[in-house]
PDB file of all heavy atoms in Angstrom:
ATOM      1  N   ILE A 447      -6.404  10.369  -7.715  1.00 96.00           N
ATOM      2  CA  ILE A 447      -6.420   9.341  -8.760  1.00 96.00           C
ATOM      3  C   ILE A 447      -7.117   9.871 -10.003  1.00 96.00           C
ATOM      4  O   ILE A 447      -6.664   9.664 -11.121  1.00 96.00           O
ATOM      5  CB  ILE A 447      -7.140   8.071  -8.248  1.00 96.00           C
ATOM      6  CG1 ILE A 447      -6.429   7.518  -7.007  1.00 96.00           C
ATOM      7  CG2 ILE A 447      -7.236   7.009  -9.350  1.00 96.00           C
ATOM      8  CD1 ILE A 447      -4.999   7.074  -7.227  1.00 96.00           C
ATOM      9  N   CYS A 448      -8.235  10.527  -9.817  1.00 98.00           N
ATOM     10  CA  CYS A 448      -8.991  11.067 -10.950  1.00 98.00           C
ATOM     11  C   CYS A 448      -8.870  12.593 -10.929  1.00 98.00           C
ATOM     12  O   CYS A 448      -9.474  13.257 -10.082  1.00 98.00           O
ATOM     13  CB  CYS A 448     -10.451  10.644 -10.858  1.00 98.00           C
ATOM     14  SG  CYS A 448     -11.449  11.353 -12.180  1.00 98.00           S
ATOM     15  N   GLN A 449      -8.060  13.111 -11.850  1.00 97.00           N
ATOM     16  CA  GLN A 449      -7.843  14.559 -11.897  1.00 97.00           C
ATOM     17  C   GLN A 449      -9.112  15.284 -12.336  1.00 97.00           C
ATOM     18  O   GLN A 449      -9.423  16.359 -11.839  1.00 97.00           O
ATOM     19  CB  GLN A 449      -6.701  14.892 -12.882  1.00 97.00           C
ATOM     20  CG  GLN A 449      -5.340  14.373 -12.460  1.00 97.00           C
ATOM     21  CD  GLN A 449      -4.817  15.010 -11.174  1.00 97.00           C
ATOM     22  OE1 GLN A 449      -5.241  16.095 -10.782  1.00 97.00           O
ATOM     23  NE2 GLN A 449      -3.922  14.319 -10.494  1.00 97.00           N
ATOM     24  N   CYS A 450      -9.866  14.696 -13.268  1.00 98.00           N
ATOM     25  CA  CYS A 450     -11.067  15.388 -13.785  1.00 98.00           C
ATOM     26  C   CYS A 450     -12.060  15.665 -12.657  1.00 98.00           C
ATOM     27  O   CYS A 450     -12.643  16.740 -12.588  1.00 98.00           O
ATOM     28  CB  CYS A 450     -11.771  14.533 -14.835  1.00 98.00           C
ATOM     29  SG  CYS A 450     -10.828  14.300 -16.332  1.00 98.00           S
ATOM     30  N   LYS A 451     -12.240  14.665 -11.787  1.00 98.00           N
ATOM     31  CA  LYS A 451     -13.253  14.795 -10.733  1.00 98.00           C
ATOM     32  C   LYS A 451     -12.632  15.003  -9.351  1.00 98.00           C
ATOM     33  O   LYS A 451     -13.345  14.999  -8.350  1.00 98.00           O
ATOM     34  CB  LYS A 451     -14.136  13.533 -10.714  1.00 98.00           C
ATOM     35  CG  LYS A 451     -14.955  13.336 -11.982  1.00 98.00           C
ATOM     36  CD  LYS A 451     -16.047  14.376 -12.049  1.00 98.00           C
ATOM     37  CE  LYS A 451     -16.951  14.131 -13.242  1.00 98.00           C
ATOM     38  NZ  LYS A 451     -18.036  15.109 -13.326  1.00 98.00           N
ATOM     39  N   GLY A 477     -17.838   9.406  -8.808  1.00 98.00           N
ATOM     40  CA  GLY A 477     -17.699  10.231 -10.017  1.00 98.00           C
ATOM     41  C   GLY A 477     -16.384   9.984 -10.741  1.00 98.00           C
ATOM     42  O   GLY A 477     -16.208  10.405 -11.889  1.00 98.00           O
ATOM     43  N   ALA A 478     -15.430   9.305 -10.080  1.00 98.00           N
ATOM     44  CA  ALA A 478     -14.127   9.057 -10.707  1.00 98.00           C
ATOM     45  C   ALA A 478     -14.303   8.249 -11.988  1.00 98.00           C
ATOM     46  O   ALA A 478     -15.121   7.333 -12.048  1.00 98.00           O
ATOM     47  CB  ALA A 478     -13.221   8.290  -9.746  1.00 98.00           C
ATOM     48  N   GLY A 479     -13.540   8.609 -13.010  1.00 98.00           N
ATOM     49  CA  GLY A 479     -13.557   7.847 -14.252  1.00 98.00           C
ATOM     50  C   GLY A 479     -14.723   8.145 -15.172  1.00 98.00           C
ATOM     51  O   GLY A 479     -14.941   7.410 -16.137  1.00 98.00           O
ATOM     52  N   THR A 480     -15.443   9.206 -14.910  1.00 98.00           N
ATOM     53  CA  THR A 480     -16.639   9.470 -15.728  1.00 98.00           C
ATOM     54  C   THR A 480     -16.420  10.573 -16.771  1.00 98.00           C
ATOM     55  O   THR A 480     -17.352  10.977 -17.444  1.00 98.00           O
ATOM     56  CB  THR A 480     -17.837   9.852 -14.830  1.00 98.00           C
ATOM     57  OG1 THR A 480     -17.469  10.971 -14.016  1.00 98.00           O
ATOM     58  CG2 THR A 480     -18.275   8.706 -13.947  1.00 98.00           C
ATOM     59  N   GLU A 481     -15.163  11.045 -16.895  1.00 98.00           N
ATOM     60  CA  GLU A 481     -14.905  12.048 -17.955  1.00 98.00           C
ATOM     61  C   GLU A 481     -13.909  11.498 -18.965  1.00 98.00           C
ATOM     62  O   GLU A 481     -14.264  10.682 -19.794  1.00 98.00           O
ATOM     63  CB  GLU A 481     -14.458  13.378 -17.343  1.00 98.00           C
ATOM     64  CG  GLU A 481     -15.668  14.198 -16.905  1.00 98.00           C
ATOM     65  CD  GLU A 481     -15.310  15.630 -16.553  1.00 98.00           C
ATOM     66  OE1 GLU A 481     -14.397  16.196 -17.183  1.00 98.00           O
ATOM     67  OE2 GLU A 481     -15.953  16.168 -15.639  1.00 98.00           O
ATOM     68  N   CYS A 482     -12.633  11.892 -18.888  1.00 98.00           N
ATOM     69  CA  CYS A 482     -11.668  11.481 -19.930  1.00 98.00           C
ATOM     70  C   CYS A 482     -11.331   9.996 -19.875  1.00 98.00           C
ATOM     71  O   CYS A 482     -10.913   9.417 -20.872  1.00 98.00           O
ATOM     72  CB  CYS A 482     -10.391  12.306 -19.818  1.00 98.00           C
ATOM     73  SG  CYS A 482      -9.344  11.825 -18.414  1.00 98.00           S
ATOM     74  N   GLY A 483     -11.477   9.380 -18.711  1.00 97.00           N
ATOM     75  CA  GLY A 483     -11.207   7.944 -18.594  1.00 97.00           C
ATOM     76  C   GLY A 483      -9.744   7.594 -18.364  1.00 97.00           C
ATOM     77  O   GLY A 483      -9.404   6.421 -18.231  1.00 97.00           O
ATOM     78  N   ASN A 484      -8.859   8.589 -18.274  1.00 97.00           N
ATOM     79  CA  ASN A 484      -7.425   8.295 -18.094  1.00 97.00           C
ATOM     80  C   ASN A 484      -7.120   7.579 -16.787  1.00 97.00           C
ATOM     81  O   ASN A 484      -6.083   6.948 -16.652  1.00 97.00           O
ATOM     82  CB  ASN A 484      -6.596   9.593 -18.141  1.00 97.00           C
ATOM     83  CG  ASN A 484      -6.482  10.130 -19.540  1.00 97.00           C
ATOM     84  OD1 ASN A 484      -6.845   9.438 -20.499  1.00 97.00           O
ATOM     85  ND2 ASN A 484      -6.010  11.353 -19.677  1.00 97.00           N
ATOM     86  N   CYS A 485      -8.001   7.694 -15.828  1.00 98.00           N
ATOM     87  CA  CYS A 485      -7.741   7.096 -14.512  1.00 98.00           C
ATOM     88  C   CYS A 485      -8.296   5.678 -14.382  1.00 98.00           C
ATOM     89  O   CYS A 485      -8.130   5.055 -13.330  1.00 98.00           O
ATOM     90  CB  CYS A 485      -8.369   7.972 -13.427  1.00 98.00           C
ATOM     91  SG  CYS A 485     -10.142   8.201 -13.669  1.00 98.00           S
ATOM     92  N   LEU A 486      -8.958   5.176 -15.438  1.00 98.00           N
ATOM     93  CA  LEU A 486      -9.637   3.881 -15.279  1.00 98.00           C
ATOM     94  C   LEU A 486      -8.672   2.745 -14.942  1.00 98.00           C
ATOM     95  O   LEU A 486      -8.998   1.859 -14.149  1.00 98.00           O
ATOM     96  CB  LEU A 486     -10.437   3.547 -16.549  1.00 98.00           C
ATOM     97  CG  LEU A 486     -11.664   4.447 -16.778  1.00 98.00           C
ATOM     98  CD1 LEU A 486     -12.323   4.139 -18.120  1.00 98.00           C
ATOM     99  CD2 LEU A 486     -12.676   4.288 -15.644  1.00 98.00           C
TER     100      LEU A 486
HETATM  101  S1  FES B 421      -8.800  11.546 -14.836  1.00 74.60           S
HETATM  102 FE1  FES B 421     -10.540  10.450 -14.205  1.00 74.60          FE
HETATM  103  S2  FES B 421     -12.022  10.789 -15.717  1.00 74.60           S
HETATM  104 FE2  FES B 421     -10.342  12.028 -16.324  1.00 74.60          FE
END
Side-chain angles (χ1 to χ4, degrees):
I447 301 298
C448 177
Q449 295 295 339
C450 293
K451 296 289 185 179
T480 56
E481 277 192 34
C482 74
N484 286 349
C485 57
L486 291 175

